[in-house]
Amino acid sequence: MTHTNPEFQPASLDAWAKAAAKSAPGGDVDALNWLTPDGISVKPLYTAEDTKNLPYANTLPGFEPYLRGPQATMYAVRPWTIRQYAGFSTAEESNAFYRKALAAGGQGVSVAFDLATHRGYDSDHPRVTGDVGKAGVAIDSVEDMKILFDQIPLDKVSVSMTMNGAVLPVLAGYVVAAEEQGVSQDKLSGTIQNDILKEFMVRNTYIYPPEPSMKIIGDIIEYTAKHMPKFNSISISGYHMQEAGANQALELAFTLADGKEYVKTAIAKGMDVDGFAGRLSFFWAIGMNFYLEVAKMRAARLLWCRIMKGFNAKSPKSLMLRTHCQTSGWSLTEQDPYNNVVRTTIEAMAAVFGGTQSLHTNSFDEAIALPTEFSSRIARNTQLIIQEETHITNVIDPWAGSYMMEKLTQDMADAAWAIIEEVEAMGGMTKAVDSGWAKLKIEAAAAEKQARIDSGKDVIVGVNKYKLKTEDAIDARDIDNVAVRDSQIARLNAIKQQRDAARVQQALQAIEEAAASGNGNLLDLSIKAVRARATVGEISDAMEKSFGRHRADTQKVTGVYAAAFDTDTTAGDTMDYWNALKAEIEEFATAQGRRPRVMISKLGQDGHDRGAKVVATAFADLGFDVDMGPLFQTPEECARQAIENDVHAVGVSTLAAGHKTLVPAIIAELRKQGADDIIVFVGGVVPRQDYDFLYQAGVKGIYGPGTPIPVSARDVLAQIKKALSH
């Protein structure tokens, strides 16, 4: 029986506005609107008026435009796949971790490779002494790959591999390892990231320039469509864009524009769009803007369907966007790190409400060091609890019909589409990336975000508000990089002694000739070379002879940090600190006859340069003269540039755990070259247990995640003054 109340009369929107004005700042209800970093105005109240003209608000899951999900039943029948992205040290160590994770409820393996492997270097290369086994697992040959997947049935367990630069030898190694396990290519399931365009924008683990890199992608899509029908040939990634500073609209637009470019590349090879598009997948970052993340994923499916219809795709599998998600690493804090468990849970729920097909949840200690087994278990159990205990999976797209979410989804789609049209007007994403425009857009967003945090406009609990007086020590995983490298070199030497050298040389020559001529499929040739026991470095070098190795420009944005910091909404004491520091720098310049000069550097193969670029921008806006070292410098190269540029200080930005090897090396090199008056400071992810080691090595300042840049800048200035006084 339905009960009605004849006395009930719905209030009008005007009546609500009058009531709300009584408590709104200055009586202005519009002041309650939240202007997102994407430029979208989010109102405090939505009604049916906001959705009455939306064209897609009443669609259904499993049907065009797939806004509500790619499958009709979604999690009600099959929940998302729980993945654990991990890799560290040796193949043996990583294999043991994967097997434990699978036994404890993990449903797929996601492999993190070390930076030497990403950049196509074998572990014995002189440029990678500080990187082997540090931020991922070291893989030099198929023998390492066989150990990595030992006792993991590759016909039953899907494997996701985050690899872009050295994608050919790594994917070939996986295929051959499976063959030698008795699993044919047609039974392999999983994903290879294979998304090189975003590497030129943000992550920087590229090897070759954009044009030959696109040829590699086309070859992989072609080969896998023919021989590996269950395997996703590319995972088009926005994750690293958001981690580098992009807001949700930029991440969405640039990622879909990348996808559009890859589809063009495959079609240009003569492939039918419906023959490969069903194996394309996407990869999003999920940060702390909860509503925006849900809207972003719903809007992504809507826009991808629109894009694929533009290519005359007919198959539903070509039109539907399928995605993997990972909770944000950047949102994790070194300070009060157990708060990160809560952050990751909120982000995981946003991914689930957005309709992800698989998910990795980050461990709470990843702003400190590589995750431990303890922290990884909490991260994995976060997903198991959401899946098994909450009943969230029983309802398909529970946000559907929400006035706010439907309007926000359309606003997000419109904001992203405007950027995609801007990219198309430039000639497509390859040209937008090659020009540096896309990278600078992301770096400007990153600098603006950092300024909002440092000025207190954006609250980070435990960092710029509700801070602990003392921090509890957290156990952190430490990798003995020297021991890992020694064991890898020993295995490399053994392989080279046992293989048929003439057969290897013939296979490498075939790759070199195909790279030079453009004929032949490079993945097919790489698989043949791996069967002969050619190494990752040898296969990469064979292509480099024709393709060359890409060198990035070291542009930086200016004025963005100061503009976001220097506003009426910045707290008075914070602005006083900022202005006093600028005055102090001016006084230094007057007294010394020049401004304090710093060089911001990235040592080794760590290409994650968000922190370095933001620090460079902020220091410049404060009045420092700032030089940017090129990516992938050795300590010797960095010291030489610092001396030639006559800097007062070198700042080393580190994220990939190579600090205990590379930072002492730069200090020793400066001393060796007679420049021990140049001070060295360090910023980034450094476990507190390593601080004393670095101070004893000669470091003058260490600034972990969450350190306000003006605070670090004032300390660096003080250290420079102290050095000059001696």
Side-chain angles (χ1 to χ4, degrees):
M1 181 182 293
T2 302
H3 296 277
T4 59
N5 185 346
E7 297 177 4
F8 170 72
Q9 293 293 329
S12 69
L13 195 55
D14 285 342
W16 173 84
K18 287 178 183 177
K22 294 177 182 178
S23 55
D28 180 11
V29 176
D30 287 341
L32 299 175
N33 288 11
W34 167 41
L35 185 65
T36 74
D38 317 70
I40 297 170
S41 182
V42 179
K43 301 187 299 182
L45 178 72
Y46 287 80
T47 68
E49 280 294 303
D50 293 292
T51 60
K52 68 179 184 181
N53 295 319
L54 295 183
Y56 307 110
N58 294 312
T59 62
L60 290 169
F63 293 89
E64 294 179 23
Y66 303 102
L67 183 149
R68 296 191 61 190
Q71 282 90 36
T73 53
M74 290 300 289
Y75 308 145
V77 169
R78 182 183 177 187
W80 66 93
T81 302
I82 297 172
R83 290 196 177 277
Q84 199 88 34
Y85 177 57
F88 47 86
S89 184
T90 61
E92 290 91 343
E93 289 276 337
S94 297
N95 171 261
F97 181 92
Y98 298 149
R99 285 162 56 193
K100 283 182 183 177
L102 289 168
Q107 296 156 354
V109 170
S110 294
V111 183
F113 297 95
D114 74 354
L115 290 167
T117 307
H118 273 289
R119 296 267 295 145
Y121 293 116
D122 285 336
S123 296
D124 58 358
H125 197 285
R127 297 195 76 88
V128 299
T129 53
D131 297 300
V132 176
K134 271 294 190 183
V137 60
I139 298 292
D140 293 317
S141 74
V142 69
E143 296 301 330
D144 292 329
M145 203 65 97
K146 286 168 67 178
I147 295 167
L148 188 68
F149 296 119
D150 182 42
Q151 298 181 59
I152 296 173
L154 294 178
D155 55 341
K156 295 181 175 65
V157 176
S158 69
V159 175
S160 171
M161 292 179 285
T162 300
M163 178 53 64
N164 303 281
V167 62
L168 286 170
V170 166
L171 182 54
Y174 164 69
V175 168
V176 176
E179 285 177 356
E180 298 188 9
Q181 197 185 84
V183 179
S184 59
Q185 296 180 24
D186 62 315
K187 291 184 173 62
L188 296 174
S189 64
T191 305
I192 186 82
Q193 192 162 97
N194 193 28
D195 174 8
I196 202 64
L197 286 175
K198 69 98 174 43
E199 296 295 329
F200 297 113
M201 279 187 276
V202 289
R203 191 162 172 261
N204 300 312
T205 56
Y206 44 69
I207 300 176
Y208 315 111
E211 191 174 332
S213 296
M214 293 298 285
K215 148 76 174 163
I216 289 170
I217 285 171
D219 282 4
I220 290 172
I221 292 173
E222 180 183 55
Y223 184 93
T224 53
K226 188 182 295 184
H227 301 285
M228 302 166 67
K230 295 181 179 179
F231 197 83
N232 297 322
S233 54
I234 190 166
S235 174
I236 304 151
S237 173
Y239 183 86
H240 305 94
M241 297 180 200
Q242 188 180 136
E243 289 290 281
N247 57 45
Q248 280 78 9
L250 265 182
E251 178 195 5
L252 177 56
F254 284 172
T255 306
L256 295 181
D258 281 353
K260 193 173 183 181
E261 200 83 345
Y262 297 139
V263 172
K264 289 180 191 173
T265 298
I267 290 173
K269 287 183 72 70
M271 299 181 67
D272 176 70
V273 66
D274 286 322
F276 67 86
R279 300 316 303 173
L280 306 181
S281 68
F282 288 79
F283 175 27
W284 307 113
I286 305 295
M288 286 297 287
N289 275 335
F290 183 86
Y291 296 136
L292 293 187
E293 294 295 5
V294 179
K296 176 187 76 182
M297 294 176 68
R298 299 173 92 244
R301 291 190 289 269
L302 169 67
L303 294 183
W304 186 244
C305 185
R306 182 188 299 175
I307 287 168
M308 294 309 292
K309 279 185 169 293
F311 287 111
N312 295 315
K314 302 291 192 299
S315 168
K317 290 184 178 179
S318 301
L319 299 172
M320 65 174 69
L321 180 149
R322 295 161 303 108
T323 193
H324 170 70
C325 292
Q326 181 174 338
T327 59
S328 174
W330 184 83
S331 71
L332 304 180
T333 64
E334 178 190 35
Q335 297 87 346
D336 208 356
Y338 290 111
N339 290 341
N340 296 332
V341 176
V342 181
R343 293 185 177 103
T344 294
T345 302
I346 291 167
E347 291 167 353
M349 290 183 69
V352 170
F353 282 136
T356 190
Q357 276 65 66
S358 71
L359 177 62
H360 166 81
T361 33
N362 284 338
S363 301
F364 72 84
D365 53 357
E366 289 187 44
I368 300 167
L370 293 169
T372 62
E373 287 193 24
F374 170 72
S375 64
S376 296
R377 182 173 61 84
I378 293 173
R380 183 173 58 253
N381 287 352
T382 299
Q383 292 195 55
L384 289 170
I385 290 165
I386 295 172
Q387 246 183 41
E388 305 282 356
E389 295 189 25
T390 64
H391 297 283
I392 284 173
T393 57
N394 292 89
V395 178
I396 304 161
D397 188 22
W399 283 94
S402 157
Y403 301 140
M404 179 277 298
M405 187 54 70
E406 297 294 4
K407 181 64 166 64
L408 190 55
T409 298
Q410 189 64 50
D411 288 346
M412 181 65 70
D414 292 343
W417 193 253
I419 299 169
I420 290 170
E421 288 183 321
E422 193 175 355
V423 169
E424 284 301 299
M426 297 175 71
M429 203 61 194
T430 301
K431 287 187 169 60
V433 168
D434 218 11
S435 69
W437 172 83
K439 187 175 181 67
L440 288 174
K441 290 277 282 187
I442 293 172
E443 288 176 1
E448 184 182 354
K449 174 66 176 177
Q450 190 62 49
R452 289 200 307 271
I453 294 170
D454 288 349
S455 63
K457 294 190 192 78
D458 286 2
V459 172
I460 310 293
V461 173
V463 175
N464 62 1
K465 199 172 183 181
Y466 313 113
K467 292 187 283 188
L468 292 174
K469 290 183 180 178
T470 58
E471 297 273 354
D472 293 333
I474 298 290
D475 289 336
R477 185 189 294 275
D478 186 35
I479 301 296
D480 186 345
N481 160 250
V482 175
V484 175
R485 188 165 184 259
D486 287 346
S487 70
Q488 288 298 119
I489 291 173
R491 189 178 292 151
L492 266 171
N493 291 338
I495 289 165
K496 289 179 180 179
Q497 288 171 3
Q498 294 164 8
R499 68 189 185 180
D500 183 338
R503 184 185 170 203
V504 172
Q505 193 52 46
Q506 185 179 16
L508 294 173
Q509 185 65 34
I511 292 172
E512 186 180 336
E513 290 171 2
S517 67
N519 299 321
N521 186 289
L522 288 169
L523 178 54
D524 181 48
L525 293 170
S526 296
I527 290 171
K528 291 172 181 172
V530 167
R531 286 180 185 136
R533 279 4 189 211
T535 68
V536 168
E538 289 169 335
I539 293 170
S540 300
D541 289 347
M543 287 178 281
E544 188 181 338
K545 289 175 183 175
S546 296
F547 293 161
R549 192 171 270 268
H550 181 68
R551 299 282 185 270
D553 293 331
T554 53
Q555 298 171 286
K556 63 178 183 290
V557 296
T558 56
V560 175
Y561 185 94
F565 208 100
D566 248 345
T567 65
D568 294 338
T569 57
T570 302
D573 55 346
T574 306
M575 277 309 304
D576 290 345
Y577 191 97
W578 173 264
N579 290 328
L581 179 54
K582 289 178 73 174
E584 199 175 334
I585 291 167
E586 288 296 333
E587 290 169 10
F588 178 96
T590 301
Q592 295 293 327
R594 66 175 182 136
R595 295 183 176 279
R597 190 179 191 101
V598 300
M599 175 178 159
I600 306 298
S601 62
K602 295 288 296 182
L603 299 179
Q605 300 304 306
D606 176 15
H608 296 82
D609 61 352
R610 172 181 181 155
K613 291 293 185 71
V614 169
V615 168
T617 294
F619 271 51
D621 287 355
L622 277 164
F624 285 80
D625 281 336
V626 180
D627 299 316
M628 282 294 299
L631 289 172
F632 315 123
Q633 279 190 312
T634 64
E636 294 79 10
E637 292 164 345
C638 179
R640 194 179 314 123
Q641 183 181 352
I643 293 166
E644 289 171 355
N645 291 8
D646 194 21
V647 304
H648 295 104
V650 172
V652 178
S653 173
T654 178
L655 189 72
H659 52 272
K660 289 176 75 173
T661 304
L662 295 168
V663 173
I666 177 65
I667 294 170
E669 196 60 35
L670 287 168
R671 288 172 179 161
K672 180 180 172 183
Q673 297 187 35
D676 52 357
D677 57 327
I678 296 176
I679 70 165
V680 173
F681 61 97
V682 178
V685 178
V686 178
R688 289 195 175 272
Q689 67 198 35
D690 293 347
Y691 278 27
D692 286 344
F693 172 87
L694 293 178
Y695 283 132
Q696 288 171 15
V699 170
K700 298 302 181 185
I702 304 171
Y703 314 109
T707 305
I709 294 178
V711 172
S712 63
R714 173 165 266 169
D715 190 53
V716 168
L717 182 63
Q719 294 290 346
I720 290 171
K721 289 178 179 178
K722 186 176 179 181
L724 289 172
S725 68
H726 293 159

